[in-house]
Amino acid sequence: MRVGIGYDVHKLVENRALILGGVEIPWEKGLLGHSDADVLLHAIMDALLGAAALGDIGKHFPDTDPKYKGISSIKLLEHVGALLEENGYAVENIDAVVIAQRPKLLPYIPQMAENIAKTLGLEKNQVNVKATTEEGLGFTGSGEGISSQAVCMLSSIREWSVMAASSEEGCKSCGGCRG
């Protein structure tokens, strides 16, 4: 098993869409960034890439590359999912939190979790998204920006192969089960 942690933050500005977890949330401000600035998906991608020792989103999607200008972070998450698969990893679970004083995010959280699960080919119960405020403290509390943190657990196909092989040998050697 491998564990990863991710963090992202973006500044809130006028004349930008607010997109979190692939959901456009109607609000007066949006997040500033090279892509769609989806802090939730960015934190999740960094957690996944970190757990697999594949770097971070800056390595894979540099903000100096014009092909990522305005890109949907759902597309970037699809790419990260493919990288994990290519490197023999499966996502066990993701737990993430969005830190924002406003707007209230509770009505949008189920769709965010569903978008993440669908994009990565996971079951809904493998993805947890929550939101919190900072009680008016710091840059998120004052409404200057929104941040997100995520943790994930991955397993490798190699680990499963070793466990399956040792399990089969155990069953054959003991003679007590039919597995």
Side-chain angles (χ1 to χ4, degrees):
M1 297 290 179
R2 302 184 87 155
V3 176
I5 184 169
Y7 173 80
D8 195 40
V9 60
H10 285 276
K11 180 179 180 176
L12 281 164
V13 296
E14 294 181 357
N15 301 315
R16 285 275 299 195
L18 177 58
I19 300 170
L20 295 170
V23 177
E24 187 166 342
I25 298 167
W27 202 51
E28 63 204 37
K29 293 181 179 180
L31 294 167
L32 181 63
H34 186 68
S35 65
D36 63 5
D38 187 328
V39 293
L40 174 59
L41 295 186
H42 292 186
I44 289 170
M45 287 185 282
D46 267 346
L48 294 168
L49 290 166
L54 294 173
D56 62 16
I57 60 173
K59 173 184 174 182
H60 293 275
F61 316 111
D63 63 6
T64 54
D65 191 331
K67 73 179 172 186
Y68 301 119
K69 177 82 173 146
I71 194 168
S72 165
S73 293
I74 288 285
K75 294 286 184 200
L76 302 179
L77 184 60
E78 285 176 6
H79 182 78
V80 168
L83 281 172
L84 293 175
E85 191 173 318
E86 287 170 21
N87 285 275
Y89 292 103
V91 178
E92 293 294 329
N93 78 306
I94 296 168
D95 186 26
V97 61
V98 178
I99 302 136
Q101 196 65 35
R102 293 180 301 139
K104 294 297 180 192
L105 300 175
L106 185 61
Y108 308 101
I109 287 176
Q111 185 62 55
M112 292 177 199
E114 185 175 320
N115 290 349
I116 295 160
K118 181 179 175 185
T119 301
L120 293 172
L122 304 174
E123 298 295 323
K124 287 182 187 180
N125 68 356
Q126 291 177 275
V127 178
N128 187 58
V129 175
K130 51 198 177 283
T132 192
T133 68
E134 290 198 297
E135 306 298 328
L137 300 173
F139 68 90
T140 56
S142 69
E144 294 175 62
I146 294 177
S147 66
S148 183
Q149 298 178 15
V151 294
C152 70
M153 185 164 41
L154 304 181
S155 59
S156 73
I157 293 171
R158 185 174 44 245
E159 288 170 356
W160 285 104
S161 299
V162 169
M163 288 189 325
S166 64
S167 174
E168 286 175 17
E169 289 171 13
C171 286
K172 289 176 185 171
S173 66
C174 80
C177 66
R178 304 274 183 220

